[in-house]
Amino acid sequence: MDKELNKTDPAVADINKSEEERQLETINLIASENYVSPAVREASSSVFTNKYSEGYPRKRYYPGNEYVDEVEELAQKRALEVFGIENSSWAVNVQPYSGSPANFAVYTALLSEQDIALGMKLASGGHLTHGHKVSDSGRYFNFIQYGITDDGIIDYGEVEKLAKEHKPKLIVVGTSAYSLKIDYEKFSNIAKNIGAFLMADMAHIAGLVAGGQHPSPFEHCDIVTTTTHKTLRGPRGAMIFSRGDELAVKVNKAVFPGLQGGPHNQQTAAIAVAMKEALAPEFKKYAEQIVKNAKVLARELKNKGYDIISGGTENHLFLVDVTNKGMSGGEAEKLLEQAGIIANRNTIPNDPRKPFDPSGIRIGTPAVTTRGMADVEMKKIADFIDRALKGEDIEGEVKKLALKFPTPGFE
């Protein structure tokens, strides 16, 4: 395939080659990124990309979909098995193009325009699609936002107070920059007391849930959404799990024909492959090492005088307030990238700075764990981060470490 790309479009081939080298030679600490296996990449570029398949298995609007049906049903079956909910009342839709449209599909399935919902503040570690005003989720629906306590913990008391006051039809629980475990039972009790639906967006922690490293939302929620490309180590896609036939029908109609046309069948095939990989015993060890690596890295940076939000981490990521080091998050991001360390700037709770150049950086360990790095390497990376932010030229050392742990397919 690379030979064909080189022959047909050398310009794109050269750019692709450069990206391969960048990924291979840098240390990736983006919490929402990972590396897929060669098998997932192969499925992502399979002949399924040639087929149009509006509808759902056995109910398509085009002929010639018998094998598309097979691979979609296989992806659904494996997804339910990954989270231990096979042979239950749960159903799963594997067609959403990505996480944001998956969340919006749920909202359109359950809410009318300007209906009230609760979601976590972006500045407290939530996600844009949980009702932020710059997102259509906040424009078309009336989201009330909850936050965290001074200790950096989700303010369950505030959630309960807002729920009783505003009587939302939906409560959304999920984060993109929160380092502690989520108590789904508390959210469930609050939702039940006011008769609201409870939706968990586990996009960031899905692989940890699958690997037994984070409490599962399925016992307590009505709807669960997730991307497939973060800790699950799959292609860029998403899934929506629904409890019971009634919700499943509403969600399916919201995805198609509500928001989407034909699914990306090559993406569905790749999800099926990723779900098989997540069912392997090795995946649980991988999930365990992700959390262990995050804890070690956070501890080492804390020992070097960095301010770790919430004091540490219980999952795959943590936030660092770098202002006590005399810089902004944007400045830290640039210094790290110059050294070959990729980590994004991020707001911290009650951040006095603007979002484009906030006070913190977000650090995650899924990608480096995929490459086989462990405790020893986390200590080295903490040292690299500290030295890079002091302005030392360590790009060569970073590259040398990265090359010792090749990305999948380059071993």
Side-chain angles (χ1 to χ4, degrees):
M1 187 174 296
D2 289 341
K3 291 181 179 179
E4 285 299 315
L5 185 57
N6 269 309
K7 183 171 64 176
T8 303
D9 194 335
V12 170
D14 286 347
I15 295 171
N16 188 66
K17 182 64 175 176
S18 296
E19 176 61 14
E20 286 181 352
E21 292 173 354
R22 185 198 67 81
Q23 292 186 19
L24 184 64
E25 296 173 358
T26 57
I27 292 175
N28 184 7
L29 299 177
I30 301 289
S32 53
E33 292 183 3
N34 214 327
Y35 306 103
V36 301
S37 70
V40 170
R41 287 179 64 188
E42 185 176 338
S44 295
S45 60
S46 66
V47 293
F48 280 113
T49 195
N50 299 331
K51 191 72 190 88
Y52 203 66
S53 310
E54 278 189 351
Y56 291 101
R58 317 299 162 181
K59 297 179 180 178
R60 305 287 184 180
Y61 289 83
Y62 288 80
N65 276 298
E66 58 267 35
Y67 302 118
V68 171
D69 287 350
E70 279 189 30
V71 81
E72 184 167 334
E73 289 173 339
L74 185 59
Q76 291 172 317
K77 177 178 179 292
R78 289 176 176 173
L80 295 171
E81 290 175 358
V82 163
F83 297 104
I85 52 173
E86 71 273 31
N87 304 318
S88 71
S89 61
W90 285 90
V92 59
N93 187 312
V94 298
Q95 291 192 10
Y97 298 152
S98 197
S100 295
N103 286 349
F104 202 79
V106 174
Y107 304 152
T108 61
L110 302 182
L111 304 174
S112 298
E113 190 172 344
Q114 291 307 311
D115 271 350
I116 298 174
L118 294 188
M120 191 172 183
K121 295 175 184 174
L122 180 66
S124 294
H127 191 262
L128 278 171
T129 60
H130 299 168
H132 195 282
K133 293 303 179 184
V134 301
S135 162
D136 280 352
S137 62
R139 291 179 59 209
Y140 290 100
F141 306 103
N142 186 7
F143 267 86
I144 309 297
Q145 306 262 268
Y146 60 86
I148 60 176
T149 67
D150 292 338
D151 296 325
I153 302 169
I154 290 174
D155 194 336
Y156 296 98
E158 182 187 25
V159 176
E160 184 173 19
K161 178 183 177 183
L162 291 173
K164 289 180 178 178
E165 179 181 352
H166 296 282
K167 298 292 191 298
K169 290 182 67 174
L170 174 68
I171 298 177
V172 179
V173 50
T175 66
S176 66
Y178 181 71
S179 62
L180 304 179
K181 291 180 179 177
I182 298 171
D183 191 332
Y184 293 111
E185 185 175 6
K186 285 185 178 179
F187 274 101
S188 177
N189 290 337
I190 293 168
K192 287 176 181 176
N193 285 340
I194 62 165
F197 290 109
L198 181 62
M199 167 188 149
D201 177 352
M202 63 171 188
H204 265 268
I205 57 170
L208 305 184
V209 173
Q213 298 302 306
H214 190 285
S216 172
F218 289 96
E219 180 182 351
H220 303 290
C221 296
D222 303 294
I223 298 279
V224 177
T225 67
T226 184
T227 53
T228 51
H229 56 272
K230 297 184 177 79
T231 49
L232 267 180
R233 245 181 357 192
R236 295 193 64 84
M239 303 185 290
I240 305 173
F241 296 85
S242 307
R243 186 196 293 273
D245 292 340
E246 185 177 349
L247 281 181
V249 168
K250 289 182 178 180
V251 165
N252 286 350
K253 287 182 178 180
V255 174
F256 172 82
L259 294 175
Q260 299 182 180
H264 296 167
N265 297 312
Q266 75 283 4
Q267 175 179 294
T268 303
I271 289 174
V273 175
M275 293 304 99
K276 182 178 181 181
E277 293 176 351
L279 285 166
E282 294 79 16
F283 192 87
K284 293 186 183 299
K285 295 178 182 178
Y286 165 68
E288 183 179 355
Q289 190 64 49
I290 289 175
V291 177
K292 189 175 182 182
N293 282 350
K295 288 178 180 289
V296 172
L297 189 49
R299 184 190 68 219
E300 292 295 314
L301 286 172
K302 189 174 183 179
N303 290 342
K304 293 179 184 295
Y306 289 88
D307 183 6
I308 310 299
I309 302 301
S310 301
T313 182
E314 296 176 338
N315 57 28
H316 65 302
L317 63 76
F318 56 93
L319 296 179
V320 184
D321 182 350
V322 293
T323 54
N324 71 336
K325 298 295 182 177
M327 67 184 68
S328 69
E331 292 168 331
E333 177 186 282
K334 290 177 182 177
L335 286 169
L336 291 173
E337 187 173 18
Q338 289 169 8
I341 299 171
I342 312 301
N344 64 283
R345 64 190 182 274
N346 210 99
T347 55
I348 62 172
N350 303 311
D351 201 329
R353 299 182 61 87
K354 294 182 178 180
F356 193 77
D357 189 17
S359 298
I361 55 173
R362 184 181 68 165
I363 292 177
T365 55
V368 289
T369 307
T370 291
R371 294 175 76 160
M373 297 186 192
D375 303 32
V376 172
E377 289 73 38
M378 294 307 105
K379 293 176 183 179
K380 288 182 180 179
I381 291 173
D383 187 54
F384 285 160
I385 290 172
D386 186 45
R387 291 168 61 195
L389 295 186
K390 289 176 179 176
E392 291 189 36
D393 181 5
I394 59 168
E395 185 178 5
E397 294 177 66
V398 170
K399 182 178 178 180
K400 184 178 179 180
L401 177 62
L403 290 174
K404 284 180 63 178
F405 296 88
T407 51
F410 292 89
E411 293 87 349

